[in-house]
Each structure stands twice: as C-alpha cells, then as structure tokens.
Amino acid sequence: MIHFEVITKSNYSDVINLSIKKNQYGFVCDNATSLVEASYEEGLYTRAIYNDDILVGFLLFDYDLDISGWSLSRLMIDANYQGKGYGRAAIIEFTKFFKNTFGIHTLFASVGLNNTQTLSLFHSIGFTNVKTIKYTYGGVEYHEQLMQLSI
C-alpha cells in the first residue's frame, strides 16, 4: 500500500539515489536539489513515497504564492518502479493525505507541456487545465500546464 514518510537521516540517501529514465531528464528536478531547496527555502515540504516498505518515489509540495494555492510541485517514481501504477496511486493517496491533514479541497500541479505521459496521468485522475505558464529557473525556460483538482 502506498504511504508517505518524512525524509530523515535514515532515508535521505536512498531518496537521493532514486533515478528516472534518461528520456525523462528535464521533466523533474533531481531529488538532491529538491531536498536542499526544502532545507533552505520556507514552505517546501518533502515526502518519500513507499509501497509497503519499499521506497518507490519522492514528492515535494508547497503553497505557491503565484497561484494562491497548494501545489504538488514535484513527483517522481524511480525508473525501476515505473509502469506499475505507483505514480497514479501516489497522486490519489496524496490527495487524500492532503485533504485529511490540511483540510484543503483544491490542489494544483504543473506539468511540462512536452511531458505528455504525465499530463495524461494527471488528467485521468481528474485534474483540469487552468492555464499555460512560462517561467525561467536556473537559466532554463520552462513551459508548463497548470492544473487543478477539487478534492
């Protein structure tokens, strides 16, 4: 069963060592960078994604001032566990966790416009398009679809 755990001294190294497929580079920030950002920037929260006792992925969520709402900002499933339904299960369980923990009923997510597989996944769960956004981060320009889900 999918569940989330706080990232600690005992599992941070395993989270950093999770990897994506080569054709997915550029779609999600590496986990080490995400963990450092969450350590030094206020309002970024991370969780390790487990299926029973096996680490399968990572996520980061935050309150985004630009959209005045909570966002599932980063989600990754390790290459070894992709295609097994863990991404879908993680998103669904995260929406339940988020609603039950914070009492929030709207969740946003942004996905790269050229990341068609992940866009399809979010849409199949019920996320709807809000608008296309463009921004520069680390000298790279990104084009993403902002989506929302009522939970």
Side-chain angles (χ1 to χ4, degrees):
M1 173 186 262
I2 292 290
H3 67 280
F4 308 104
E5 292 186 16
V6 173
I7 299 170
T8 65
K9 286 182 183 181
S10 65
N11 65 357
Y12 83 91
S13 173
D14 294 331
V15 169
I16 288 172
N17 288 320
L18 293 171
S19 62
I20 54 176
K21 295 177 181 178
K22 290 185 191 229
N23 67 339
Q24 296 169 325
Y25 290 133
F27 289 153
V28 67
C29 186
D30 68 271
N31 295 345
T33 299
S34 292
L35 290 174
V36 169
E37 288 174 348
S39 294
Y40 292 101
E41 294 180 29
E42 285 191 41
L44 300 178
Y45 306 93
T46 61
R47 295 292 185 274
I49 304 168
Y50 285 84
N51 182 53
D52 295 325
D53 61 348
I54 299 170
L55 175 65
V56 298
F58 167 82
L59 63 82
L60 180 143
F61 62 99
D62 64 287
Y63 186 84
D64 189 328
L65 294 173
D66 292 334
I67 58 174
S68 298
W70 285 92
S71 179
L72 174 56
S73 299
R74 296 179 188 157
L75 170 74
M76 69 82 66
I77 301 297
D78 184 81
N80 295 316
Y81 299 104
Q82 291 181 17
K84 300 177 185 206
Y86 295 131
R88 171 181 292 284
I91 295 167
I92 291 169
E93 285 304 312
F94 182 74
T95 61
K96 293 175 189 175
F97 158 81
F98 198 76
K99 182 179 178 182
N100 293 336
T101 303
F102 300 102
I104 305 297
H105 297 278
T106 301
L107 182 65
F108 292 91
S110 295
V111 178
L113 293 177
N114 56 353
N115 190 351
T116 56
Q117 187 173 3
T118 302
L119 283 168
S120 293
L121 172 62
F122 275 84
H123 286 137
S124 74
I125 291 169
F127 279 82
T128 58
N129 294 347
V130 174
K131 65 180 177 179
T132 301
I133 55 175
K134 179 173 72 170
Y135 65 94
T136 302
Y137 179 79
V140 177
E141 187 171 273
Y142 293 91
H143 300 261
E144 297 181 347
Q145 180 64 55
L146 176 65
M147 299 177 285
Q148 76 177 35
L149 177 70
S150 295
I151 50 178

